[in-house]
Amino acid sequence: MPVIASIGTAVPPYIIRQAESRTFARNLFADAFSDIDRLLTVFDSAQVEQRHFCIPLDWFATTSSWEEKNRLYIEHAVSLSRQAAETCLQRAGLSPTDVDMILFISSTGIATPSIDALLCNSLGLREDIVRLPIWGLGCAGGAAGLARSFDLAQAHPNRKVLMIALELCGLTFVHGDRSKSNLIATSLFADGAAAALLYGDRAAESLDCHGPQLIASRSTTWPNSLDVMGWDVQNDGLKVIFSRDIPTLVEQKIGDLCDSFLSAHDLSRAAVSRYIAHPGGMKVLSAYERALDLPADALQHAREILRTHGNMSSCTVLFVLERELAESHQLGEHGLLFALGPGFSAEQVLLRW
């Protein structure tokens, strides 16, 4: 089975503390909501202490065109993705020319040629690199990227697959959007990039790599749920859409969904000792815990990444996985990685150490 050789992560330089975000939001949204102080309690309940952005706080106080936002997206997407990829490859003891395939995952900007093509020059990848850009999976993108990398590594056991998830959520901020969804997003979302290197089983054997194996994956898209999460594409950018019902949907659906996936591989929840969840928000993590009847510390890495980095959309689950890989594991121990995204959809990846 394909194995995960290494993870590399990167964050941009501007750190914004939650108290600063709250003050900014109060000034911006005060005229839109008579009960602004009550709504601002979301900045405390989010349990986010700080977040990283590619632009400073004062950028959010101005109106920017889609053209300007996307120019910044391309510029910072290349540099941040390169940092994550170089860290990932260095940890595996490889150079960029060793990579056979590259997947690029993102939902917060667009580019043609795609960012992976720009990285061919920036990183120094081979001319015969196989490229697969994937757009629009939102917060599920990191898990889906692992799943598709698994498919490719399984189909091509001699190859090394580099997957990069990059999101610059800050650049999607629409200054004129005074909706509650935008207010909540102001308390939660952030920028970051992560890279994962996967080996097909023959490549893993030749390189003597003993990382966790990817055993299986499953994608689920629920019907008639398109309005739960996504973007409303407008002239001034990507207006955020997410439903307040997401935690309720998690409690209703995730337990049966995980049980079905695990049972297809002759496993039950009792056989899973590691849970790697995308931290969509504190309410979502609590809903996961209730739905799966998890112990209090099962999602500690997800909670910590949420506290120190916020929700960076697709790449966040790879930040959580990076922390998980730093732990000690028993041979044969199972892990379940999962995330939710637009569609409304879920991605699950089964791991074994």
Side-chain angles (χ1 to χ4, degrees), residues 83-130:
Q83 291 177 43
E86 288 177 337
T87 298
C88 181
L89 292 171
Q90 288 168 5
R91 288 175 175 174
L94 297 187
S95 69
T97 56
D98 293 314
V99 177
D100 301 301
M101 300 178 170
I102 182 171
L103 287 77
F104 182 77
I105 315 294
S106 191
S107 298
T108 47
I110 58 174
T112 304
S114 50
I115 300 298
D116 48 285
L118 302 181
L119 287 170
C120 286
N121 297 309
S122 180
L123 271 173
L125 299 171
R126 299 199 316 260
E127 289 184 1
D128 65 344
I129 191 82
V130 176

Side-chain angles (χ1 to χ4, degrees), residues 43-75:
F43 284 82
D44 298 320
S45 60
Q47 296 186 32
V48 175
E49 293 183 3
Q50 65 177 34
R51 288 169 287 159
H52 296 257
F53 294 94
C54 68
I55 60 290
L57 182 59
D58 57 9
W59 180 90
F60 296 94
T62 61
T63 299
S64 300
S65 67
W66 184 321
E67 180 182 6
E68 170 67 9
K69 292 176 182 179
N70 209 64
R71 183 190 65 78
L72 289 170
Y73 169 83
I74 294 172
E75 173 188 342

Side-chain angles (χ1 to χ4, degrees), residues 7-9 87 91 317-326:
I7 302 284
T9 57
T87 298
R91 288 175 175 174
V317 74
L318 299 176
F319 278 70
V320 180
L321 179 59
E322 180 183 41
R323 296 178 73 95
E324 181 62 52
L325 295 184

